[in-house]
Amino acid sequence: MKQCGDQILPGHISIKTQPSLYSLMRKDTTSLGNQRRSPPIHAPVVASIVQIYGGDLGRRYRLTEEITIGRDESNAVIVDLTTVSRRHARLFEKDGLWHVVDMESTNGTYVNGEETQDETRLSNGDLLKLGGAVFKFIEGGNIEALYHEEIYRLTILDGLTGVHNKRYFLEFLEREMTRSTRHGRPLSLAMVDIDHFKQVNDTYGHVTGDHILQSLARLISADMRRDELLARYGGEEFVFVLPETDSTQAELFCERIRRLVEKQVFEFDEKEIRVTISLGVVSMRQAFGLDDFIGAADEHLYMAKQAGRNQVIGDSAAPSSRSHTTTKTE
């Protein structure tokens, strides 16, 4: 791997020969004004890609000339993941604009969730997904500020799904617990697990599994209020924090989400896949500490899975709807 350049942050290096653009979460950059205007033909473009999922998180690669990304050591950007092809994608500058093109990879190259068929122009904030790796493309006059902002986002967001991560969830829940106790307001917590998700990965592959995690997060996010929190707890587990929501309301909400997911058909690579989820819900009690609250929700989740999966169990310790048999992926 040809590398040179300055040390940016501990473990964050620049690469002389590498315009690699791997992305998945795209942040709205309309407020950046003139940055998104096309530069003059052949004008020098200050651009980088930052790895935000899979491999070296937060690593930045400066784009100065054409590069390739892949698993093989001959690439300027090496991604040591089995889901990434030996020579996966090529990044190059044309007429002052950066482009990406797939190199007949096994799992394809995606820009903002859309598979690229031909060379695709890249814009500031684009997310580039190659197999199990995701990069974010950044460019513009204040690229250093954009880079450090992206590093901050990595501390609070999950790089694959774009929802908040476990670290942020714990801080958020602790604040809401304090508010709930101080003002005597209701607060509920739900733990969510995708049923038989290992079978999805084993049957269809991890790239398909990643797509389902992303799609599920988008599906649920669309039904959440602004003051509520959806976070990825780890693997195929998610959590809901529901302020101003008592146990009955929380169970009804979770049952609505359960039905929404059950009806959803996830399409990827010309395959249609169905999944179901199990949910454990609990409401805040005066004696709860942080670990107690999470532990109670996790216990209810375990009960839901033991009772047959694809159902909600709340404080009543009984399914919120009739027992459902888990539908296996198709």
Side-chain angles (χ1 to χ4, degrees), residues 101-112:
V101 64
D102 186 74
M103 300 177 70
E104 299 184 353
S105 65
T106 301
N107 291 315
T109 299
Y110 293 77
V111 177
N112 302 325

Side-chain angles (χ1 to χ4, degrees), residues 69 185 198 203 238:
I69 307 172
R185 304 303 301 169
K198 183 178 184 300
T203 303
F238 292 85

Side-chain angles (χ1 to χ4, degrees), residues 230-247:
L230 167 65
R232 188 179 179 194
Y233 194 70
E236 67 271 24
E237 284 193 325
F238 292 85
V239 288
F240 307 156
V241 181
L242 308 172
E244 301 296 331
T245 307
D246 62 25
S247 59

Side-chain angles (χ1 to χ4, degrees), residues 30 52-53 58 72 75 105 138 150 192 213 215-216 223 233 291:
T30 55
I52 63 173
Y53 187 79
D72 192 85
N75 296 284
S105 65
I138 55 176
E150 194 58 38
V192 187
L213 289 170
S215 301
L216 185 69
D223 214 65
Y233 194 70
D291 292 340

Side-chain angles (χ1 to χ4, degrees), residues 59-314:
R59 194 171 191 179
R60 173 170 65 170
Y61 303 95
R62 299 181 189 274
L63 304 179
T64 60
E65 55 187 344
E66 179 174 315
I67 64 162
T68 59
I69 307 172
R71 211 171 66 247
D72 192 85
E73 292 187 0
S74 63
N75 296 284
V77 177
I78 302 172
V79 183
D80 189 18
L81 296 174
T82 57
T83 53
V84 175
S85 296
R86 292 186 179 278
R87 291 175 65 80
H88 199 113
R90 178 169 63 94
L91 280 75
F92 59 95
E93 187 247 2
K94 182 174 72 174
D95 296 334
L97 301 170
W98 282 100
H99 296 72
V100 62
V101 64
D102 186 74
M103 300 177 70
E104 299 184 353
S105 65
T106 301
N107 291 315
T109 299
Y110 293 77
V111 177
N112 302 325
E114 298 293 328
E115 187 170 11
T116 61
Q117 302 298 332
D118 302 301
E119 61 182 53
T120 300
R121 174 187 167 182
L122 295 167
S123 298
N124 184 52
D126 280 348
L127 296 168
L128 212 70
K129 189 174 192 303
L130 290 68
V134 179
F135 296 84
K136 188 166 188 176
F137 176 76
I138 55 176
E139 66 176 351
N142 62 342
I143 194 168
E144 289 299 320
L146 291 173
Y147 170 63
H148 289 292
E149 179 181 357
E150 194 58 38
I151 294 301
Y152 169 71
R153 286 166 56 82
L154 284 175
T155 68
I156 63 172
L157 296 179
D158 174 57
L160 178 65
T161 62
V163 302
H164 285 95
N165 58 21
K166 183 177 180 179
R167 172 182 173 177
Y168 184 87
F169 154 68
L170 293 173
E171 295 175 352
F172 182 89
L173 180 59
E174 195 163 28
R175 288 197 302 270
E176 288 300 320
M177 290 176 67
T178 299
R179 190 183 70 85
S180 173
T181 301
R182 179 181 300 144
H183 301 291
R185 304 303 301 169
L187 172 66
S188 294
L189 172 68
M191 299 283 290
V192 187
D193 185 77
I194 304 176
D195 298 325
H196 300 300
F197 190 68
K198 183 178 184 300
Q199 292 182 13
V200 175
N201 283 329
D202 291 345
T203 303
Y204 301 104
H206 288 272
V207 173
T208 301
D210 285 351
H211 173 77
I212 290 176
L213 289 170
Q214 293 169 336
S215 301
L216 185 69
R218 286 195 297 268
L219 181 69
I220 297 174
S221 293
D223 214 65
M224 304 283 288
R225 296 187 317 220
R226 179 171 294 184
D227 62 333
E228 298 170 340
L229 177 74
L230 167 65
R232 188 179 179 194
Y233 194 70
E236 67 271 24
E237 284 193 325
F238 292 85
V239 288
F240 307 156
V241 181
L242 308 172
E244 301 296 331
T245 307
D246 62 25
S247 59
T248 300
Q249 294 168 328
E251 289 183 31
L252 289 173
F253 171 77
C254 288
E255 174 61 16
R256 185 169 78 244
I257 295 297
R258 185 200 67 75
R259 292 181 180 180
L260 182 67
V261 174
E262 184 180 45
K263 294 176 181 177
Q264 182 70 27
V265 177
F266 298 95
E267 297 181 1
F268 184 75
D269 196 22
E270 300 182 349
K271 296 185 289 285
E272 293 186 350
I273 304 167
R274 293 180 182 272
V275 299
T276 59
I277 57 175
S278 299
L279 304 94
V281 195
V282 67
S283 291
M284 178 66 179
R285 301 169 195 164
Q286 194 70 25
F288 272 168
L290 183 65
D291 292 340
D292 301 319
F293 203 3
I294 296 172
D298 193 47
E299 182 179 354
H300 286 182
L301 172 61
Y302 177 78
M303 292 171 63
K305 293 163 73 174
Q306 289 296 105
R309 294 182 168 85
N310 191 24
Q311 57 189 280
V312 178
I313 287 187

Side-chain angles (χ1 to χ4, degrees), residues 34-65:
N34 293 336
Q35 288 182 50
R36 294 190 61 82
R37 295 179 184 173
S38 299
I41 299 300
H42 302 305
V45 178
V46 180
S48 297
I49 55 171
V50 181
Q51 191 157 3
I52 63 173
Y53 187 79
D56 298 328
L57 291 183
R59 194 171 191 179
R60 173 170 65 170
Y61 303 95
R62 299 181 189 274
L63 304 179
T64 60
E65 55 187 344

